Amino acid sequence: MSTFWEINLNALKSSGKYVDLIKELDQVNPSAHSILANLNKHDYFQSVIEHNHIHDMNSLRSVVILGFEQGMIAEELLKRCLRQTTILVIDSDLESLKYVLMSRDLSEILIDPRLVLMIARETILKNTLKTYFLQKNTLFLTNRVLYVDQPIYEPTKPNYTMWLKEQFVLARQGLITLLGNSAEDTLLGLKNTVNNIENVINSYPLDLMKERLSKIPAVCVAAGPSLEKNISVLKQMKDHVVVIAVDTIAERLRKEGIVPNFVCSMERGEEVYESFYKGKTFDEKTILIGLSLLDPRIIREFEGGKSVVSPAQMPFDNWLKDSFSNLTFLDSGHSAAHLNYSLAVHLGCDPIILVGQDLAYGSVGSTHAKGTYDENEYIKQRSDLNQFHEKEMKFSVPGFYGGEVLTNRWWVLFRQWFEENIPKHPNKGINATEGGAFIKGAEHLSLIDVFNHYCNKSVDFSVLNTNDYSDNKLLKSEQIAHFLPRINEVIHQNEKYRGKLKKLLIDIETLNNHRKWEESKVKVLTNIVDFDRRITLELSTDKNLAQTIQYANFTYRSKMNRLIELEDFSHVQQVYAYLKEFITTIIYYAEKLNELYQLLVSNVMASS
């Protein structure tokens, strides 16, 4: 007879979602636990329902449960919630989880597709959530989330639920920055990627350079106002460190006689090309590290070496990499400065030194070093960019030298990325900005002290030669031959999706003409849920489409959730209008994607 552990382990394996979790559980030998062992399941469930003020199970779309415990809360919610509900259980106690899996048959809930069990350490929870949102296309569900706190946790983990909510907000905010600021912004990134396909195919594979600069110090140069005091020291260091610069500061460094070994660029808008590349001269020894969504003119016109990279786990780029292996994944975070740091880690550099990384306003309210962003003629003409810092709310955070400095919400988000990522890697992270915000997890030193202590050897820059990559025409031909049938299948599927969505639009109009169900709130809700299910089903089959319309999803579900929460179903026409508007939007962007797919085929054929 199988043990409970064997039954539950088989359920975890059959779901296909828990490969990493199973590996971790195999390493755990739990001691006996008796939490909740004597509690009546029904009584405890009722106490949790009352504690969290849950009134209507049918209205739940996305539920986050703090703690697996004996699985009883997840078990009871799965019995009562709709089949479209997603239930995410987050716990950090592997030992307790394994003990429960050895004590009860939970196979039925473990194989339920609505349940996701996430074991995440507190330090990496936000990044784990971002990966989950991307892979499972559930970002839109987080617009209305019920956080289920268990009373048993209050004595041991006060304020944990509030912290968990903050992690969800930060994960969503970070992912929005990555995907784009609107559906059109996301579509622009995809269009740029399509128009960069020849650059991708001919790109230097950055994976060939992995660990090539092991134990060599790198200076990651950003454009914060404190850089002014460090330019002279940076000049002394240039032969003893790898210089990795954001695009904003590259021109200023060139004028100072500092040739960056790498320049990193990640924004999709034309202002990046117009401001920092058009008409600019780069040393042929400088290597451009650019995201695939850059304005294609940047990569095409750059004189030096170039390597096209992609943010890890982006659906469209992930799909491209299956055919074009020279596309390298790097964690680009939310800014070119984050891409700088990830590149230094990839190269094996140690220590990694931050300079000009203020993440705060300068003493006179400045945002950038001289000769960079604020003084750029193109930026001066863009009133929307000029007014950003005037409108942005400012608040105080701990400073490099103690005391406090003024910052804004975006710089806080950027700083948190460093605070999460610096401790993750064995490479020593040093903040030598000598100004701006204090960055937890980094050692804080003056740049001259860093130079004297860590940079006493000259660097052999010949290892950065990208000419050692031979243009393998046979490999390119094989990759294109592998890609074309796949893209043709995607085009075929896109056509089918659009047909189904148009049929869904007709069904909504038909239902709108039959008002018999208007009097019943339950029937109204049931119809909304049914259409939601059908929409979600179509989106789940096309990750690229789901990626493109995240903002439309937010808008639509925000409107619908407001009606549900207010229990106001008197204006049925408004319900239909929301549904119609949303599906029409999806069809529009599906058609735009189809145009991009057709363009992609043309571009790939032209590069062969």
Side-chain angles (χ1 to χ4, degrees), residues 336-352:
H338 295 156
L339 185 57
N340 277 4
Y341 198 89
S342 294
L343 173 63
V345 171
H346 181 84
L347 297 173
C349 298
D350 196 356
I352 303 173

Side-chain angles (χ1 to χ4, degrees), residues 3 109 148 153 170 256 275 294 311 339 354 377 533 540 556:
T3 64
I109 70 169
V148 178
Y153 273 113
L170 290 171
E256 296 285 354
S275 302
L294 282 180
L339 185 57
L354 301 178
E377 289 302 318
R533 178 188 62 79
S540 68
Y556 160 69

Side-chain angles (χ1 to χ4, degrees), residues 62 132-133 138-145 147 168 172 554:
S62 189
Y132 167 68
F133 291 152
T138 54
L139 179 59
F140 63 89
L141 292 175
T142 63
N143 199 41
R144 183 171 184 263
V145 178
Y147 301 90
F168 261 77
R172 186 175 69 176
F554 287 150

